[in-house]
Amino acid sequence: MLDRQRIQDYRERGYLVLEGFKSAAEIAAVRDRALAIVEAFDPGNQRSIFTTREQARVTDAYFLASAERVSCFFEEEAFAADGSLRQAKALSINKIGHALHDLDPVFDRFSRGPQLDALARELGLAEPLLWQSMYIFKQPCIGGEVGWHQDATFFHTDPVSVTTFWFALEDATLDNGCLWVEPGGHRSPLRQLFVREGDSVRMQRLDETPWPGADRAIPLPVPAGTLVCFHGLLPHYSAPNRSPVSRHAYSLHATDGRAAYAASNWLQRDDSLPLRGFR
Ligand code: FE2
């Protein structure tokens, strides 16, 4: 799948950009499916939002249950002061998560296969386990910022093994909130840990190393179909989307089954929905 130089680049920079990984037809299949899920979603009194600024405060039972469900989360800025939606429902959802890859046949197909399995192994995951999937809308005008973070904060293993597979389903640009990364930043310490205790969660500070400034961060504008893989310690960020164009993406988080998965991670699985890899 990867030549030696690309594997070397990944080790040095902590990320890898693979253009043309998914075809237009594969993208259309998951986009159509995501829109159908949102169409069928009846929020009722459900007003769960997703925010990276204060996730510990706003996390609720709906969020925790989404570990084994297909759940829709609103953009933080979706609602007007009176509680009504500012844009149509289809333009108000921040993301769908977190078990699409195991519960939905269309997403299962998109998330697995020999190519992804081989890639994961080349990136060091000898026994890849797929914990989480997210369909991220980054809606026009109200698409929320995702503040600087490291994904190992949410998927702690010993040793660190979580690896992110981020698929651009639309062109990601500077205007609509593409990813930003710190090349080589995967050698920096884990700053925070998202810890679950029973039905509550909290963010624990581990290290005071600052997030990268403008001098060390680079944007990753990529065309639709691109797969960006990155290491669990790589600091990354995406800006709010104030443009009239959405920036759909789909992400998968995998750990290595040889590493110990922390009992304090918010996302746990039992035998009712067993963990699987990319096969
Ligand atoms: Fe992330």
Side-chain angles (χ1 to χ4, degrees), residues 15-198:
Y15 70 95
L16 192 63
V17 177
L18 300 169
E19 279 193 25
F21 192 88
K22 290 288 189 184
S23 70
E26 288 173 297
I27 291 171
V30 289
R31 287 194 57 159
D32 288 352
R33 185 68 195 121
L35 294 181
I37 291 168
V38 169
E39 183 62 35
F41 169 56
D42 176 7
N45 292 324
Q46 184 58 52
R47 287 286 182 271
S48 275
I49 61 166
F50 178 76
T51 168
T52 56
R53 290 187 300 113
E54 291 188 277
Q55 193 58 59
R57 183 182 63 76
V58 304
T59 290
D60 51 19
Y62 183 81
F63 172 82
L64 293 174
S66 73
E68 300 189 353
R69 287 187 193 160
V70 173
S71 305
C72 296
F73 296 86
F74 284 104
E75 290 281 2
E76 193 174 6
E77 296 175 36
F79 301 101
D82 66 359
S84 62
L85 286 175
R86 292 166 60 201
Q87 303 185 155
K89 182 179 69 174
L91 295 175
S92 299
I93 302 297
N94 171 289
K95 68 173 177 180
I96 309 171
H98 291 96
L100 283 160
H101 61 297
D102 282 333
L103 296 175
D104 188 287
V106 175
F107 282 97
D108 178 15
R109 218 170 297 134
F110 189 90
S111 306
R112 295 185 163 99
Q115 222 188 346
L116 275 168
D117 189 53
L119 176 61
R121 284 163 208 279
E122 284 166 358
L123 298 183
L125 299 171
E127 296 171 22
L129 294 174
L130 271 177
W131 287 91
Q132 171 179 280
S133 47
M134 295 193 289
Y135 190 104
I136 304 155
F137 290 88
K138 201 72 139 174
Q139 300 284 5
C141 306
I142 61 166
E145 171 188 63
V146 178
W148 281 104
H149 67 281
Q150 297 156 299
D151 288 348
T153 287
F154 302 95
F155 296 92
H156 192 50
T157 63
D158 185 15
V160 172
S161 67
V162 68
T163 304
T164 306
F165 298 79
W166 187 98
F167 303 88
L169 304 178
E170 294 183 295
D171 295 346
T173 68
L174 280 169
D175 285 339
N176 68 3
C178 67
L179 283 174
W180 287 71
V181 299
E182 180 196 10
H186 61 306
R187 292 196 197 87
S188 65
L190 184 63
R191 275 80 157 177
Q192 305 182 93
L193 204 53
F194 193 65
V195 178
R196 177 172 183 171
E197 284 162 348

